[in-house]
Amino acid sequence: MMQGFPPKPEAQVTLANWRSPPFHVWGFQHVREIVPSADIPNAPNAVWQLPSRPDDLSRITFEHKGKRFDFESFLRGTDTDGIVILHRGGVVHEAYAHGMTRHTPHILMSVSKSLLGIIAGILIEKGVLDLDRGVADVIPELGDTAFAGATVGDLLDMRAGIHFDEDYLATSGMIVDYRKSHGWNPREPGDPLSDMRSFFRNFKQSDGPHGGRFRYVSPNTDLLGWIIERVTNTRYADLVSTQLWQPMGAERSAYITVDRLGAPRCAGGVCATAMDLARIGQLIVQSGRRDGTAVIPVSWIDEITEHGDTEAWDHGDFAGYFPNLSMHYRHKWYVVRGVRPLLFALGVHGQYLFVDRTRQVVVAKLSSQELPLDSELILLTLAGVEAIRAQLD
């Protein structure tokens, strides 16, 4: 893809095809060349240096649905572009494919939501954001929409009773209009100018009560970004930089896609390196602290880990993707419950951040899977991560 000056038409990655195979392999690593973006600067003089402690993961083998996998076949089978594995604060494995390198920012898709969950926790700890505050109280422009009566907490836990069909393969309808509003799809002839903030006024239908079952609606997270910007009077990209990216010691700047008016795509538009994504996981392992300084409130991490609603999850949209697992969703993070809970962030096409606080294991995995949500590859990824956790126990 994108070889030659200019590339041949059939090899050109454009706004119309950048999320579709085979163009997405290149597109996921070059998003800022396709969609407008805002920078999330790091602090180059304060990089968190993670020690290298290589481990031989070729010993990992596991069986999944009657097939035997080793570590390399697991990576290939899940279309891995980049993976970083940490254990007890050291880098035990780092690998890249499909043109990606340690310094390549890759789109995180909905792992971006989990980063917003961290920013929200920091702001709540500072008394700037209130979980119980009504959406329409902060954004009165939405007082006559289905968001009326929902709270910040409802949006964080995906329990706002909003009707929205999140069909990633749809070619028409509200989800396509949503993508056009934030500049991820091209406008068609005759389409009016759109933007993300005005798009929220289209939500007129409810789908149950606020605070009910888990209902996965990506625009909830973009709306939270608007709420955060309004209560802080600060651009979201700048907040991520000052509250997380710089204090964490990110090695590289990240960026986030924005619409034509600069509204951030908080639900899926963050692009970062696999190593910096792993640093977020290590920060969680260390109870939110780096060099003795609190970056993420440990009370927020504990809240995510311990206080999700399993009933809301069991009656929600995604339980079928994770059969026979006791799980919950809290503040934009998934949690597999148990003696050794597994926290993870998930994005379409195979983006993940796994955190095992007990074993002190972090797995940051960025991919270019063909389907947005592939139930078989989700289960294979979970099986592979479980084998990694067992190897590093």
Side-chain angles (χ1 to χ4, degrees), residues 53-61 70-72 85 87 91-94 387-388 390-392:
R53 300 190 192 118
D55 196 344
D56 181 12
L57 299 188
S58 65
R59 295 173 292 170
I60 292 177
T61 62
D70 61 18
F71 186 66
E72 290 301 322
I85 302 173
H87 186 218
V91 181
V92 298
H93 190 83
E94 180 182 8
I388 293 168
Q391 171 75 28
L392 299 177

Side-chain angles (χ1 to χ4, degrees), residues 143-155:
D144 61 348
T145 69
F147 289 108
T151 66
V152 168
D154 292 331
L155 299 184

Side-chain angles (χ1 to χ4, degrees), residues 84-290:
V84 174
I85 302 173
L86 310 180
H87 186 218
R88 296 175 182 164
V91 181
V92 298
H93 190 83
E94 180 182 8
Y96 301 97
H98 309 139
M100 190 173 172
T101 73
R102 165 185 270 225
H103 300 306
T104 306
H106 188 291
I107 194 161
L108 306 185
M109 294 298 187
S110 289
V111 173
S112 306
K113 294 179 173 71
S114 302
L115 302 194
L116 181 137
I118 290 173
I119 298 300
I122 293 169
L123 295 177
I124 287 168
E125 176 77 7
K126 294 177 182 292
V128 177
L129 190 64
D130 183 352
L131 276 174
D132 296 322
R133 193 170 181 189
V135 171
D137 182 41
V138 184
I139 312 288
E141 299 97 312
L142 302 183
D144 61 348
T145 69
F147 289 108
T151 66
V152 168
D154 292 331
L155 299 184
L156 269 172
D157 290 342
M158 290 292 191
R159 297 178 67 183
I162 303 298
H163 175 73
F164 183 72
D165 185 7
E166 190 127 347
D167 179 1
Y168 298 112
L169 301 179
T171 57
S172 62
M174 200 169 178
I175 192 169
V176 174
D177 294 339
Y178 169 55
R179 288 170 174 161
K180 291 178 181 178
S181 78
H182 55 252
W184 279 29
N185 276 25
R187 292 169 58 218
E188 302 294 336
D191 281 347
L193 276 176
S194 180
D195 64 89
M196 207 179 321
R197 296 184 183 109
S198 63
F199 177 78
F200 292 123
R201 294 196 54 79
N202 295 319
F203 287 86
K204 302 294 187 181
Q205 289 183 271
S206 297
D207 182 24
H210 299 309
R213 69 185 181 97
F214 173 80
R215 182 77 171 93
Y216 196 86
V217 174
S218 282
N220 287 345
T221 310
D222 296 313
L223 178 52
L224 273 169
W226 187 8
I227 289 170
I228 286 171
E229 289 186 322
R230 182 159 288 186
V231 299
T232 62
N233 197 32
T234 305
R235 287 197 325 161
Y236 180 74
D238 294 337
L239 279 170
V240 176
S241 174
T242 60
Q243 301 300 314
L244 178 62
W245 220 244
Q246 294 188 45
M248 178 187 74
E251 184 178 11
R252 309 285 288 191
S253 293
Y255 63 93
I256 185 170
T257 68
V258 296
D259 74 0
R260 67 183 184 91
L261 299 180
R265 175 77 165 97
C266 302
V270 175
C271 301
T273 67
M275 187 63 75
D276 281 335
L277 184 60
R279 283 183 171 91
I280 295 172
Q282 185 59 31
L283 196 60
I284 293 172
V285 165
Q286 297 179 188
S287 298
R289 303 181 73 85
R290 179 200 170 199

Side-chain angles (χ1 to χ4, degrees), residues 366-386:
L366 302 173
S367 316
S368 50
Q369 295 171 4
E370 181 173 342
L371 294 176
L373 283 177
D374 187 317
S375 57
E376 293 299 319
L377 292 188
I378 289 172
L379 293 177
L380 175 56
T381 300
L382 286 172
V385 169
E386 189 55 43

